[in-house]
Amino acid sequence: MLLDPVDPNSTKVKLLRVWDKTKTFVARYQAVLEFAAYSLFLALLTLSATLTYPGESLHLHNDALTRAFADIPPYMSGGTSLHSIDTVTEFWNFVDDVILRNVLPDGNTVAGEGFFQRHVRILGQVKFRQIRVRNDTCSIPPEVQTYVKSCFSEFTAESEDQQTIQGLPDGGVWQEGEPGAGTFEGPSGIRYPASGFTAKSSSTHGAFKQLKELLQARGWLDSKSRAVFIDLLAYNPNINTISTIKIAVEFPVSGGALPILLIRSMPLGDLLADSRFNGSLASMSIVLSLLLIAIVFHAGLIRDQKMSWAKRPFNWLDMVIAAVRYSLEWSLTLKGE
């Protein structure tokens, strides 16, 4: 049986010739190509790190916010700081001593109403939210039922209380969480949903004080409350930085309270996708593409070279750079920095 002759000018033959020439070129100049790839990789890595580094101003900004929300103002003697909260009463005292006096001043300041730390402005609304549990979520032994009539378990999806709180025009109705709000894991390890009983006010001193006094007078927080949150949005025009601030206080079944402060800041331009952010995104995308190409390339080398692959220092340098770079990025992402 005669085979059909292969056309030397066919596309398949031309592609095979190109592939053979490419393999020969790579084998001959492998060290040069590796050096060029590393140089490009490191250049793009440096570019993406430079474009995404927030700078010292952002870290100082976060430190200033932490002091403003967690500490007693220096002009006050005594008072309740965030980390000294241990009861519902002390939570309301903290709102008076820190939020109303330090974060939402009454306007008699140099910067004006709504500003604190001289340069930071609260934007939009301030939100209270709490998570509650039902009274039938744990059992009371018969021997003590004469003395104890109520029992409230730790929060679970099954124990969440959604019953309307009477006498409250705002904050008395259970609401679904806002789309994309996500969940929150407290210091106790319990994860809370974005739903709950929400009350909002404007960021002026008078409106927030009026809401706080109403909620406190009507007993908005009680034995059913398992966690309470205050959410704010702050902006510093001097460094063009936006910050989301969450104050969370858990009231665990064991008693006491577990307060925590979460601050996430970023340049406003990152949210608006300006050219600086687009350049960073492009360089990071190219770095990731190079990493994927390197993985495929080294997988082929390991298959062909077996143990001799491990003797080349560039191969290990590849792995170390990639591991360190993406480990740091993942760590910073989890911390919200």
Side-chain angles (χ1 to χ4, degrees):
M1 180 180 180
L2 297 176
L3 298 177
D4 294 334
V6 177
D7 184 1
N9 296 319
S10 66
T11 302
K12 181 178 180 180
V13 172
K14 290 180 179 179
L15 290 175
L16 289 174
R17 288 174 181 168
V18 171
W19 176 245
D20 290 337
K21 290 180 180 180
T22 301
K23 289 196 297 183
T24 302
F25 179 82
V26 169
R28 181 178 298 177
Y29 299 103
Q30 183 174 351
V32 176
L33 293 174
E34 285 184 351
F35 176 77
Y38 278 120
S39 300
L40 178 61
F41 180 85
L42 292 176
L44 290 171
L45 189 62
T46 302
L47 177 63
S48 65
T50 302
L51 291 174
T52 55
Y53 176 63
E56 187 66 20
S57 296
L58 185 57
H59 296 291
L60 295 175
H61 169 76
N62 283 347
D63 288 341
L65 290 182
T66 300
R67 291 192 300 272
F69 281 93
D71 298 338
I72 296 296
Y75 54 80
M76 288 184 59
S77 58
T80 305
S81 66
L82 175 64
H83 296 292
S84 65
I85 296 175
D86 201 47
T87 64
V88 168
T89 300
E90 289 175 345
F91 169 79
W92 292 123
N93 291 341
F94 159 78
V95 175
D96 278 332
D97 296 340
V98 176
I99 305 298
L100 281 169
R101 287 187 173 91
N102 199 33
V103 177
L104 294 175
D106 60 4
N108 300 320
T109 62
V110 175
E113 185 171 16
F115 282 86
F116 65 100
Q117 299 290 60
R118 292 182 61 87
H119 304 301
V120 184
R121 180 69 159 89
I122 297 296
L123 303 179
Q125 294 182 315
V126 183
K127 181 175 69 175
F128 283 104
R129 181 171 65 92
Q130 70 157 312
I131 304 292
R132 298 168 64 83
V133 294
R134 299 190 311 275
N135 187 18
D136 59 352
T137 51
C138 54
S139 59
I140 302 173
E143 294 79 5
V144 296
Q145 289 181 0
T146 304
Y147 309 98
V148 180
K149 303 297 182 182
S150 57
C151 179
F152 307 94
S153 70
E154 67 180 20
F155 173 79
T156 63
E158 293 74 25
S159 67
E160 183 177 11
D161 184 21
Q162 301 180 5
Q163 185 176 359
T164 299
I165 304 173
Q166 300 299 323
L168 280 173
D170 190 17
V173 178
W174 182 87
Q175 300 177 14
E176 289 279 359
E178 298 176 357
T183 60
F184 170 79
E185 184 175 344
S188 67
I190 297 175
R191 186 167 292 279
Y192 297 95
S195 57
F197 296 83
T198 301
K200 302 178 181 179
S201 82
S202 68
S203 57
T204 62
H205 176 90
F208 184 76
K209 181 178 180 180
Q210 183 179 9
L211 176 61
K212 176 263 174 186
E213 290 177 347
L214 174 64
L215 296 177
Q216 184 178 11
R218 299 294 175 86
W220 187 63
L221 295 177
D222 54 23
S223 298
K224 290 185 175 183
S225 305
R226 279 291 164 260
V228 61
F229 308 92
I230 302 177
D231 292 291
L232 309 96
L233 185 68
Y235 175 65
N236 187 332
N238 294 345
I239 57 175
N240 197 31
T241 295
I242 198 84
S243 302
T244 59
I245 300 143
K246 180 183 291 291
I247 299 166
V249 180
E250 283 188 279
F251 299 106
V253 293
S254 57
L258 299 173
I260 189 173
L261 172 66
L262 297 178
I263 298 174
R264 294 179 181 270
S265 301
M266 66 174 63
L268 185 60
D270 288 6
L271 293 177
L272 301 179
D274 63 9
S275 57
R276 177 177 178 272
F277 179 67
N278 287 336
S280 170
L281 183 62
S283 61
M284 291 176 67
S285 300
I286 296 174
V287 168
L288 181 59
S289 299
L290 288 174
L291 178 64
L292 294 176
I293 292 173
I295 291 174
V296 174
F297 176 74
H298 284 290
L301 289 180
I302 293 173
R303 183 191 63 184
D304 296 336
Q305 299 177 3
K306 303 278 187 308
M307 290 302 297
S308 62
W309 177 90
K311 297 179 181 179
R312 296 185 61 83
F314 272 128
N315 295 335
W316 291 105
L317 183 60
D318 248 344
M319 298 174 62
V320 171
I321 290 177
V324 171
R325 194 265 189 207
Y326 286 98
S327 295
L328 288 175
E329 182 176 295
W330 180 248
S331 175
L332 292 176
T333 300
L334 290 180
K335 294 179 180 179
E337 296 181 2

